[in-house]
Amino acid sequence: MIPYGRQKIDNEDIQAVCEVLRSDWLTQGPTVVDFENAVSEYCGARYAVAVANGTAALHLAALAAGFSSDDEVITSPITFVASANCIAYTGARPVFADINSQTYCIDPEEIQSKLTPATRGLIPVHFSGRPCDMQAIADLALEHNLVVIEDAAHAIGASYEINGKSYKVGCCAHSEMTIFSFHPVKHITTGEGGMITTNSEDLYKKLLLLRSHGITKDPVKMIRNDGPWYYEQQNLGFNYRITDFQCALGLSQLRKIDTFVDRRREIVAAYNERFSNNIKLLIPFEHISTVSSWHLYLLQFKNLDRLEVFNALREKGLGVNVHYIPVNLQPYYVDHFGYGAGDFPKAEEYYSRVITLPLFPAMTDEDVDYVISAVLDTVRGMTR
Ligand SMILES: *Cc1c(COP(=O)(O)O)cnc(C)c1O
């Protein structure tokens, strides 16, 4: 079975982890800071805070943004549930805005139609690695005083261009914060892990406190000081720390990010070339002003029975998947927030036709050819 995604770990990665295991620090030591510095430098952001996973990154970003009950925060229905759950964690209402049928990313015009006086923030998702329209999103945020958190779990290594200037996803030029995930199916992995980047010193300090129980040991920040043993809990935080050996893996993986992304782009180009002139297939779109880092290869099957295609591909040994079931159709969202079928027609149409094909840097050229033949063989002669 060729999975839809998987990590690529080499001897360098293994050695990096072993070195930390032999050191004095297993958690919250120097390698966490090294990894944070490497990611902030790679993205071009001032600060980075490493945490236990991407969901924790979203949770802390939503809290640092100040979202709370009575607020509304807008995200895409086509994303992993965590992008919307982080809004609900704060007591705010998750609001969805439909996708653009060409990019599958949240559509700024749809965002506009969902704005109310209660709207406090936007969580655009750079779905499958393709950057959202950040100029339009930043303009809306400025006009309506909204906090923008980019969910870049799919998009480390991606970039976009505005007026001839290139921006790396995570630089936070058009947002307050950006989050990443280092789950094994994502571009680089720490096993479980996440990161928040920001250019705001204020948000950075809030995130550091929230990551570790809301506790500070810095005498300068304390309200009282009973003695050298003293620490102070100043707000309600969590244990969302990541370990040093995970960050050692992350650092080692980050050194390979550009080759990983290049290989992903090469595979996508091979798929696109073979699928683009088949009228039953709709290949993913890449805008000329964006460079996608291609976390997922999303192929739409037009006028075909998606379940039949899916089962046939699984039978041929492809670990295909579907990304994503619209979040508003999940029972939790139906029961708690009153969403349901028909709310977001473009998201639903996309969902009814899409299948995620295998895409990961360790795929061989033979794997790629096999996937292409399996898809073309499956749809040949198949009609609804
Ligand atoms: C993976 C993912 C997350 C959550 O990351 P974890 O590290 O699995 O917690 C959030 N948003 C999106 C879009 C993701 O794909």
Side-chain angles (χ1 to χ4, degrees), residues 166-342:
S166 178
Y167 297 90
K168 196 136 225 162
V169 166
C171 75
C172 300
H174 302 94
S175 67
E176 272 65 38
M177 289 169 274
T178 302
I179 76 92
F180 296 107
S181 163
F182 307 123
H183 181 277
V185 296
K186 308 286 165 70
H187 296 79
I188 62 169
T189 190
T190 57
E192 297 277 2
M195 187 83 74
I196 306 139
T197 58
T198 183
N199 292 318
S200 156
E201 190 182 356
D202 179 49
L203 289 171
Y204 173 62
K205 287 180 176 165
K206 279 185 186 159
L207 292 167
L208 289 181
L209 265 181
L210 287 167
R211 174 173 68 181
S212 207
H213 310 280
I215 286 176
T216 184
K217 290 176 187 162
D218 181 351
V220 179
K221 292 176 192 141
M222 288 176 189
I223 292 160
R224 233 178 49 227
N225 193 345
D226 297 352
W229 63 86
Y230 187 70
Y231 58 82
E232 202 165 77
Q233 186 191 339
Q234 299 183 331
N235 53 29
L236 187 61
F238 303 85
N239 176 358
Y240 278 169
R241 295 187 301 263
I242 187 169
T243 66
D244 264 45
F245 51 93
Q246 287 174 296
C247 289
L249 179 56
L251 256 178
S252 178
Q253 289 259 297
L254 187 66
R255 287 189 203 109
K256 294 172 268 249
I257 179 77
D258 290 334
T259 45
F260 284 175
V261 170
D262 288 349
R263 179 60 182 154
R264 286 174 176 276
R265 292 185 58 80
E266 214 170 74
I267 297 166
V268 168
Y271 283 165
N272 283 346
E273 192 190 321
R274 298 295 300 282
F275 298 149
S276 61
N277 51 16
N278 189 311
I279 55 159
K280 293 174 189 167
L281 304 176
L282 182 63
I283 62 168
F285 168 78
E286 188 174 26
H287 197 278
I288 53 162
S289 69
T290 66
V291 178
S292 173
S293 54
W294 293 123
H295 163 53
L296 300 170
Y297 188 83
L298 307 161
L299 191 61
Q300 288 196 51
F301 293 81
K302 294 185 288 183
N303 303 313
L304 294 173
D305 183 333
R306 194 260 308 265
L307 178 62
E308 195 185 340
V309 176
F310 187 94
N311 287 337
L313 293 175
R314 278 273 172 102
E315 258 165 49
K316 289 185 163 78
L318 306 194
V320 289
N321 216 307
V322 170
H323 294 89
Y324 288 96
I325 303 147
V327 179
N328 62 295
L329 300 183
Q330 295 290 355
Y332 175 80
Y333 281 85
V334 175
D335 293 349
H336 285 78
F337 300 106
Y339 293 110

Side-chain angles (χ1 to χ4, degrees), residues 124-181:
V125 181
H126 302 305
F127 181 48
S128 81
R130 179 190 1 241
C132 295
D133 183 348
M134 290 313 296
Q135 180 70 68
I137 286 167
D139 288 348
L140 281 173
L142 188 66
E143 193 182 337
H144 301 276
N145 197 22
L146 310 173
V147 179
V148 179
I149 300 168
E150 297 172 66
D151 182 340
H154 296 184
I156 194 165
S159 60
Y160 55 95
E161 205 179 285
I162 297 175
N163 296 330
K165 188 171 173 351
S166 178
Y167 297 90
K168 196 136 225 162
V169 166
C171 75
C172 300
H174 302 94
S175 67
E176 272 65 38
M177 289 169 274
T178 302
I179 76 92
F180 296 107
S181 163

